[in-house]
Amino acid sequence: MRTDGAQVELFLQKCDELTDSGYILADTKIGELLRCIAASDVLYAFFRELTRGFDYPAAKRRCLGEGRRLLFPEDAAEKLAFTFCLLADLDNKVIDLPAFLRQYFYEDGSLAGSFYAFSNQVVKPFRAAIRLMFKGAPAPAPQPKPLQEAVAAERDAVMLSPLPDARKVDALLLLNALGACGRDPALLAGALCGYLYFADACGRRGENVEAMRAALAAVKETIGTARRP
């Protein structure tokens, strides 16, 4: 039996499959997404409670008026309930998907372009809201090491690596030069370029090298900004 976490992960996967499918497979993928919800104890209970007392017909009249733009309820819970009911209407053919896309998501005249807009404006926010509800905010991306810490750590890693001794000497020369650059952006950029080319040639990888790569990108931006008139 799938755990609650696995059920939510499967739901997120089905949302991704829907947005990646393109218009041709949209009907099938919407059905699979809704069946995923129905098969999940936690998601089924969540949407059952969410839609209890929700006046979908009234929301539908407000959001699917005669205009050319789909409106959403302002309340976050009502927006989720509305999106769920809308997907159910599309799956049950109560709403004709091609006509719906042409009216509310007209882009370049193609159904493919309209479906792309529908995915961005309906499916992706729906996915993001459920992910936040059940899994919390995404973990922040790990921050790269400070440059000097990365240089020191890379020096130690090189000494323990299987590189030939001659290559280790070359690496240490480059790293020592890098450590001696101070805050001069031109010298720093040159030394970083030198070591990164060396690292690529020798197959050096890892967080220390990535920290240097990030530092080089930042230094290049600084140099570029300084030289703009």
Side-chain angles (χ1 to χ4, degrees):
M1 178 179 292
R2 289 182 177 271
T3 64
D4 289 352
Q7 291 171 353
V8 173
E9 283 295 338
L10 182 60
F11 166 83
L12 300 177
Q13 177 187 324
K14 292 300 179 183
C15 286
D16 291 338
E17 290 177 6
L18 172 56
T19 57
D20 293 343
S21 68
Y23 168 71
I24 297 299
L25 294 176
D27 280 338
T28 300
K29 294 302 179 180
I30 289 173
E32 289 179 3
L33 175 59
L34 292 172
R35 285 194 293 276
C36 171
I37 293 172
S40 164
D41 293 339
V42 63
L43 290 172
Y44 180 81
F46 172 76
F47 282 106
R48 182 187 60 206
E49 293 303 313
L50 191 69
T51 55
R52 192 190 303 276
F54 174 63
D55 191 347
Y56 176 58
K60 193 174 176 181
R61 287 192 296 272
R62 291 194 305 271
C63 298
L64 300 179
E66 296 300 322
R68 305 285 296 180
R69 180 168 171 262
L70 174 66
L71 304 175
F72 286 102
E74 293 184 3
D75 180 80
E78 289 189 358
K79 181 178 180 181
L80 270 176
F82 174 76
T83 304
F84 172 75
C85 293
L86 177 65
L87 290 172
D89 268 2
L90 290 168
D91 185 47
N92 293 325
K93 305 298 188 288
V94 174
I95 296 176
D96 179 68
L97 179 61
F100 174 75
L101 292 175
R102 288 192 183 98
Q103 179 167 356
Y104 296 104
F105 297 95
Y106 186 88
E107 288 291 310
D108 56 4
S110 72
L111 285 171
S114 296
F115 179 75
Y116 180 77
F118 167 78
S119 296
N120 286 332
Q121 296 174 41
V122 178
V123 182
K124 289 182 179 180
F126 185 59
R127 180 195 190 281
I130 296 301
R131 190 197 187 287
L132 183 62
M133 182 74 64
F134 286 95
K135 300 178 73 66
Q143 296 300 308
K145 286 183 177 180
L147 179 58
Q148 291 307 316
E149 181 183 338
V151 170
E154 180 67 3
R155 189 182 288 112
D156 292 340
V158 163
M159 291 302 295
L160 296 173
S161 75
L163 284 175
D165 288 344
R167 286 286 180 265
K168 288 182 180 180
V169 171
D170 291 344
L172 294 175
L173 288 171
L174 289 166
L175 290 168
N176 288 340
L178 180 54
C181 287
R183 296 181 178 277
D184 186 306
L187 290 177
L188 195 56
L192 283 166
C193 278
Y195 189 77
L196 289 171
Y197 276 114
F198 171 87
D200 287 343
C202 293
R204 295 288 303 159
R205 301 287 186 271
E207 61 176 330
N208 301 320
V209 174
E210 290 309 309
M212 293 180 202
R213 212 177 297 282
L216 177 60
V219 172
K220 282 182 175 179
E221 181 64 25
T222 300
I223 294 173
T225 302
R227 290 182 178 175
R228 290 187 189 113

